[in-house]
Amino acid sequence: MKQFSILMQKEWRENIRNYKIYWVPAIFILLGITEPVVNFFLPQILESSGGLPEGAVFEFPTPPPEQILTAVMEQFQTIGLAVLILAYMGTVAGERKSGTATLLYVRPLSFPAYFLSKWVMASAISLVSVWVGFLAGYYYTLLFFDRVEGMELFQMVGTYSIWVLLIVSIIVAASAAMPNGGLAAAVAFAIYLILQLTDGLFGAAWSISPVKLPQYAAAWLADSPDSGSLAGAIGITALIILALLVFGSWISWKNKAKTKV
Amino acid sequence: MSILVVEKLTKRYGQESAVEDLSFVLEKETATALIGPNGAGKTTSLSMLADLLSPSSGKITVAKGLTIGFLPQYPQFFPWLTALEFTEMAAKLSGIESKKARLQASRTLGFVGLESAMNKKTGTFSGGMKQRLGLAQAIVHQPKLLLLDEPISALDPTGRREIMDLLKALQQDTTILYSTHILNDAEEMTDQLLFMKGGRLIEQGSLNDVKNRHASPHIRIRFTNPYQAAEFAGRLTWEREIKGAVVFLPVYKNGPSMQQVLEVLASEKQDILGVDYQTASLEDIFLKVVAAK
Amino acid sequence: MDQTTLVLALLPILIIQLALMIFALVDLIKNPNPNGPKWMWAVLIVVINIIGPILYFVIGRRNY
């Protein structure tokens, strides 16, 4: 516990001093803003660009605000995910590769505390980024379109946050397992694709699959997801995260010989 | 009292063996120099002792409660931390109480000569400053055993002198094992020599042992010409060696003392250029031993 | 869309853009060893809104 707080302080300083604590949320805010803004200005852009045939009259239906926020979440699922991978692929692997980890590893270091400090910091910044991103999206949707129930937004973001934690756990564990950041990114991305693919192909009946969490998150905006399925999916996800934490601590210890001396 | 015993330590990577059958003992508060050409297995050996690498076979036994400080050859620091922040963190991770850690860190930085750079980011440090900071993090928790990989090789002569003096001061109450290829410095601070080549220990012992074994001191007599040297040496009963106008007389075993030699020269009224003692430098011995095995 | 809405819409973007630009420029000035020429990064940070500073943080700054 004592080592954990020492290492947390180190992570905190690192993320402030390399500006990650600013630019990761900034990208999510940008993503959150883009969707409502583009949807709002799209009709005007199309009209003024003159790409429409002479005399054609198009009725652009105003999309419901729920649809805009779901689209924001889809942005997070693609670009947002790539940003998180980019930001944290090197969190353990980079330290070993550059050799900065060596002077930590030669001390009586608690590897669970070490891995956990990495995970907590990456999770905290990722969650805050997702939250302010949704908040920005919500603000612009309110401005240009219509109100979404605050409670519904809260439930959606809460459910989606569990999914984000799973993604971050995969990224940080991959960073601990792989020899460099690039390979960690490749592995994290491959795992993500395999999860999506497996669920897409065979998972129609797997109601408690973690991959369905984003769907359940979006479902809060329509009515509400099936509470049993949601609880099951959250439970499974929590177990997987726990397993990843144990694996990450172990593989960090196992890989300590790979630090550059 | 021995604080660390290494028995048949071996590290293999596939078929390649980086360290093979290494055995030695470190006595309390002594200095041991690990000497060898590049690729001899020095860094691998030190990494195993620092518990960074696990040996393929063999055993390392340490005294109970032994604390270790380690300085890698090229220490790397988190560039966004200041020297004080880093050293304080290192102290805390090594078990120094949080309250004392900052004071201990700033004292140690003062000791290695980084007082004025304490609050600068390590990313701005020069090579020499990094080496000093590396030493600071290795000693901040006052370890009983210091493992130093080429602690002075990257420094200029002034820096080398200063760090050597710091190490000698530390050596009063710390056991030091350091690798080096600068043999003059090794000669200055060593109770035990370990010569490594190709992953194996090829010679070990105290400086005197090793010198006596491989290059005992000689008395050197320089005559004015080779005929005089040959004529003089021909009449001697001692073991001798003639090189041109110079005669070498080994002083070990049944060799002569300086006084005996001077008496002979004086009684014969030999015309000579000079007589002196010749001791081989560690470098000479090292080259000889490495070439031989 | 009325004037107030437009201002409300643009203000946060403007603030983020300005903040990122200032952070990036200040860091660039202090950076002894950026990944690429300094003037190029200065131009990118100022000219490309939002993306410029982020590119600098991700690719350009290196840890120093």
PDB file of all heavy atoms in Angstrom, chain A residues 163-182:
ATOM      1  N   TRP A 163     -17.160  -0.614 -19.685  1.00  0.00           N
ATOM      2  CA  TRP A 163     -16.540  -1.082 -20.923  1.00  0.00           C
ATOM      3  C   TRP A 163     -15.165  -0.421 -21.111  1.00  0.00           C
ATOM      4  O   TRP A 163     -14.188  -1.071 -21.476  1.00  0.00           O
ATOM      5  CB  TRP A 163     -17.483  -0.759 -22.086  1.00  0.00           C
ATOM      6  CG  TRP A 163     -16.887  -0.913 -23.450  1.00  0.00           C
ATOM      7  CD1 TRP A 163     -16.571   0.097 -24.305  1.00  0.00           C
ATOM      8  CD2 TRP A 163     -16.541  -2.122 -24.118  1.00  0.00           C
ATOM      9  NE1 TRP A 163     -16.040  -0.396 -25.465  1.00  0.00           N
ATOM     10  CE2 TRP A 163     -16.008  -1.770 -25.385  1.00  0.00           C
ATOM     11  CE3 TRP A 163     -16.599  -3.478 -23.784  1.00  0.00           C
ATOM     12  CZ2 TRP A 163     -15.556  -2.704 -26.304  1.00  0.00           C
ATOM     13  CZ3 TRP A 163     -16.139  -4.410 -24.701  1.00  0.00           C
ATOM     14  CH2 TRP A 163     -15.631  -4.032 -25.934  1.00  0.00           C
ATOM     15  N   VAL A 164     -15.097   0.897 -20.836  1.00  0.00           N
ATOM     16  CA  VAL A 164     -13.830   1.618 -20.976  1.00  0.00           C
ATOM     17  C   VAL A 164     -12.782   1.013 -20.035  1.00  0.00           C
ATOM     18  O   VAL A 164     -11.621   0.821 -20.416  1.00  0.00           O
ATOM     19  CB  VAL A 164     -14.021   3.125 -20.685  1.00  0.00           C
ATOM     20  CG1 VAL A 164     -12.675   3.841 -20.617  1.00  0.00           C
ATOM     21  CG2 VAL A 164     -14.900   3.766 -21.748  1.00  0.00           C
ATOM     22  N   LEU A 165     -13.197   0.668 -18.816  1.00  0.00           N
ATOM     23  CA  LEU A 165     -12.266   0.056 -17.865  1.00  0.00           C
ATOM     24  C   LEU A 165     -11.701  -1.255 -18.412  1.00  0.00           C
ATOM     25  O   LEU A 165     -10.515  -1.547 -18.253  1.00  0.00           O
ATOM     26  CB  LEU A 165     -12.953  -0.203 -16.523  1.00  0.00           C
ATOM     27  CG  LEU A 165     -13.105   1.004 -15.597  1.00  0.00           C
ATOM     28  CD1 LEU A 165     -13.779   0.578 -14.298  1.00  0.00           C
ATOM     29  CD2 LEU A 165     -11.744   1.626 -15.311  1.00  0.00           C
ATOM     30  N   LEU A 166     -12.569  -2.020 -19.080  1.00  0.00           N
ATOM     31  CA  LEU A 166     -12.106  -3.287 -19.661  1.00  0.00           C
ATOM     32  C   LEU A 166     -11.063  -3.013 -20.743  1.00  0.00           C
ATOM     33  O   LEU A 166     -10.004  -3.659 -20.775  1.00  0.00           O
ATOM     34  CB  LEU A 166     -13.299  -4.062 -20.244  1.00  0.00           C
ATOM     35  CG  LEU A 166     -12.927  -5.362 -20.972  1.00  0.00           C
ATOM     36  CD1 LEU A 166     -12.346  -6.377 -20.003  1.00  0.00           C
ATOM     37  CD2 LEU A 166     -14.138  -5.946 -21.696  1.00  0.00           C
ATOM     38  N   ILE A 167     -11.358  -2.040 -21.603  1.00  0.00           N
ATOM     39  CA  ILE A 167     -10.425  -1.693 -22.686  1.00  0.00           C
ATOM     40  C   ILE A 167      -9.071  -1.254 -22.102  1.00  0.00           C
ATOM     41  O   ILE A 167      -8.008  -1.716 -22.532  1.00  0.00           O
ATOM     42  CB  ILE A 167     -11.024  -0.555 -23.549  1.00  0.00           C
ATOM     43  CG1 ILE A 167     -12.283  -1.025 -24.266  1.00  0.00           C
ATOM     44  CG2 ILE A 167      -9.995  -0.029 -24.543  1.00  0.00           C
ATOM     45  CD1 ILE A 167     -12.038  -2.075 -25.306  1.00  0.00           C
ATOM     46  N   VAL A 168      -9.120  -0.379 -21.098  1.00  0.00           N
ATOM     47  CA  VAL A 168      -7.880   0.115 -20.492  1.00  0.00           C
ATOM     48  C   VAL A 168      -7.101  -1.051 -19.870  1.00  0.00           C
ATOM     49  O   VAL A 168      -5.879  -1.139 -20.007  1.00  0.00           O
ATOM     50  CB  VAL A 168      -8.174   1.199 -19.430  1.00  0.00           C
ATOM     51  CG1 VAL A 168      -6.906   1.573 -18.680  1.00  0.00           C
ATOM     52  CG2 VAL A 168      -8.765   2.436 -20.085  1.00  0.00           C
ATOM     53  N   SER A 169      -7.820  -1.978 -19.225  1.00  0.00           N
ATOM     54  CA  SER A 169      -7.147  -3.131 -18.614  1.00  0.00           C
ATOM     55  C   SER A 169      -6.417  -3.954 -19.661  1.00  0.00           C
ATOM     56  O   SER A 169      -5.295  -4.408 -19.435  1.00  0.00           O
ATOM     57  CB  SER A 169      -8.154  -4.022 -17.881  1.00  0.00           C
ATOM     58  OG  SER A 169      -8.929  -3.256 -17.004  1.00  0.00           O
ATOM     59  N   ILE A 170      -7.064  -4.120 -20.811  1.00  0.00           N
ATOM     60  CA  ILE A 170      -6.422  -4.883 -21.892  1.00  0.00           C
ATOM     61  C   ILE A 170      -5.166  -4.153 -22.373  1.00  0.00           C
ATOM     62  O   ILE A 170      -4.106  -4.753 -22.554  1.00  0.00           O
ATOM     63  CB  ILE A 170      -7.411  -5.105 -23.060  1.00  0.00           C
ATOM     64  CG1 ILE A 170      -8.548  -6.043 -22.628  1.00  0.00           C
ATOM     65  CG2 ILE A 170      -6.682  -5.692 -24.275  1.00  0.00           C
ATOM     66  CD1 ILE A 170      -9.669  -6.171 -23.637  1.00  0.00           C
ATOM     67  N   ILE A 171      -5.281  -2.835 -22.553  1.00  0.00           N
ATOM     68  CA  ILE A 171      -4.131  -2.064 -23.064  1.00  0.00           C
ATOM     69  C   ILE A 171      -2.949  -2.138 -22.085  1.00  0.00           C
ATOM     70  O   ILE A 171      -1.812  -2.419 -22.475  1.00  0.00           O
ATOM     71  CB  ILE A 171      -4.516  -0.581 -23.295  1.00  0.00           C
ATOM     72  CG1 ILE A 171      -5.598  -0.470 -24.373  1.00  0.00           C
ATOM     73  CG2 ILE A 171      -3.289   0.238 -23.700  1.00  0.00           C
ATOM     74  CD1 ILE A 171      -6.170   0.926 -24.527  1.00  0.00           C
ATOM     75  N   VAL A 172      -3.217  -1.903 -20.800  1.00  0.00           N
ATOM     76  CA  VAL A 172      -2.117  -1.856 -19.821  1.00  0.00           C
ATOM     77  C   VAL A 172      -1.504  -3.251 -19.646  1.00  0.00           C
ATOM     78  O   VAL A 172      -0.277  -3.399 -19.549  1.00  0.00           O
ATOM     79  CB  VAL A 172      -2.598  -1.272 -18.474  1.00  0.00           C
ATOM     80  CG1 VAL A 172      -1.459  -1.211 -17.481  1.00  0.00           C
ATOM     81  CG2 VAL A 172      -3.162   0.130 -18.677  1.00  0.00           C
ATOM     82  N   ALA A 173      -2.349  -4.287 -19.648  1.00  0.00           N
ATOM     83  CA  ALA A 173      -1.815  -5.657 -19.527  1.00  0.00           C
ATOM     84  C   ALA A 173      -0.977  -6.003 -20.748  1.00  0.00           C
ATOM     85  O   ALA A 173       0.086  -6.627 -20.630  1.00  0.00           O
ATOM     86  CB  ALA A 173      -2.960  -6.655 -19.355  1.00  0.00           C
ATOM     87  N   ALA A 174      -1.435  -5.583 -21.949  1.00  0.00           N
ATOM     88  CA  ALA A 174      -0.659  -5.842 -23.169  1.00  0.00           C
ATOM     89  C   ALA A 174       0.685  -5.137 -23.092  1.00  0.00           C
ATOM     90  O   ALA A 174       1.716  -5.673 -23.505  1.00  0.00           O
ATOM     91  CB  ALA A 174      -1.440  -5.380 -24.399  1.00  0.00           C
ATOM     92  N   SER A 175       0.668  -3.930 -22.531  1.00  0.00           N
ATOM     93  CA  SER A 175       1.920  -3.174 -22.403  1.00  0.00           C
ATOM     94  C   SER A 175       2.894  -3.891 -21.466  1.00  0.00           C
ATOM     95  O   SER A 175       4.099  -3.883 -21.681  1.00  0.00           O
ATOM     96  CB  SER A 175       1.630  -1.765 -21.886  1.00  0.00           C
ATOM     97  OG  SER A 175       2.798  -0.993 -21.894  1.00  0.00           O
ATOM     98  N   ALA A 176       2.336  -4.536 -20.430  1.00  0.00           N
ATOM     99  CA  ALA A 176       3.195  -5.267 -19.490  1.00  0.00           C
ATOM    100  C   ALA A 176       3.741  -6.545 -20.127  1.00  0.00           C
ATOM    101  O   ALA A 176       4.835  -6.996 -19.806  1.00  0.00           O
ATOM    102  CB  ALA A 176       2.416  -5.602 -18.226  1.00  0.00           C
ATOM    103  N   ALA A 177       2.963  -7.120 -21.063  1.00  0.00           N
ATOM    104  CA  ALA A 177       3.351  -8.417 -21.620  1.00  0.00           C
ATOM    105  C   ALA A 177       4.274  -8.296 -22.821  1.00  0.00           C
ATOM    106  O   ALA A 177       5.082  -9.180 -23.073  1.00  0.00           O
ATOM    107  CB  ALA A 177       2.086  -9.196 -22.015  1.00  0.00           C
ATOM    108  N   MET A 178       4.152  -7.202 -23.556  1.00  0.00           N
ATOM    109  CA  MET A 178       4.865  -7.093 -24.842  1.00  0.00           C
ATOM    110  C   MET A 178       6.185  -6.337 -24.688  1.00  0.00           C
ATOM    111  O   MET A 178       6.337  -5.526 -23.782  1.00  0.00           O
ATOM    112  CB  MET A 178       3.972  -6.362 -25.857  1.00  0.00           C
ATOM    113  CG  MET A 178       2.792  -7.183 -26.311  1.00  0.00           C
ATOM    114  SD  MET A 178       3.342  -8.579 -27.315  1.00  0.00           S
ATOM    115  CE  MET A 178       2.687  -9.927 -26.391  1.00  0.00           C
ATOM    116  N   PRO A 179       7.148  -6.605 -25.602  1.00  0.00           N
ATOM    117  CA  PRO A 179       8.457  -5.969 -25.463  1.00  0.00           C
ATOM    118  C   PRO A 179       8.487  -4.477 -25.822  1.00  0.00           C
ATOM    119  O   PRO A 179       9.398  -3.780 -25.402  1.00  0.00           O
ATOM    120  CB  PRO A 179       9.355  -6.761 -26.420  1.00  0.00           C
ATOM    121  CG  PRO A 179       8.426  -7.422 -27.365  1.00  0.00           C
ATOM    122  CD  PRO A 179       7.145  -7.635 -26.645  1.00  0.00           C
ATOM    123  N   ASN A 180       7.534  -3.997 -26.613  1.00  0.00           N
ATOM    124  CA  ASN A 180       7.514  -2.559 -26.888  1.00  0.00           C
ATOM    125  C   ASN A 180       6.099  -2.057 -27.121  1.00  0.00           C
ATOM    126  O   ASN A 180       5.162  -2.850 -27.294  1.00  0.00           O
ATOM    127  CB  ASN A 180       8.426  -2.208 -28.073  1.00  0.00           C
ATOM    128  CG  ASN A 180       7.974  -2.884 -29.352  1.00  0.00           C
ATOM    129  OD1 ASN A 180       6.814  -2.755 -29.774  1.00  0.00           O
ATOM    130  ND2 ASN A 180       8.875  -3.635 -29.964  1.00  0.00           N
ATOM    131  N   GLY A 181       5.949  -0.746 -27.129  1.00  0.00           N
ATOM    132  CA  GLY A 181       4.632  -0.130 -27.236  1.00  0.00           C
ATOM    133  C   GLY A 181       3.899  -0.497 -28.517  1.00  0.00           C
ATOM    134  O   GLY A 181       2.693  -0.745 -28.501  1.00  0.00           O
ATOM    135  N   GLY A 182       4.627  -0.559 -29.622  1.00  0.00           N
ATOM    136  CA  GLY A 182       3.993  -0.865 -30.894  1.00  0.00           C
ATOM    137  C   GLY A 182       3.339  -2.239 -30.881  1.00  0.00           C
ATOM    138  O   GLY A 182       2.180  -2.392 -31.285  1.00  0.00           O
TER     139      GLY A 182
END
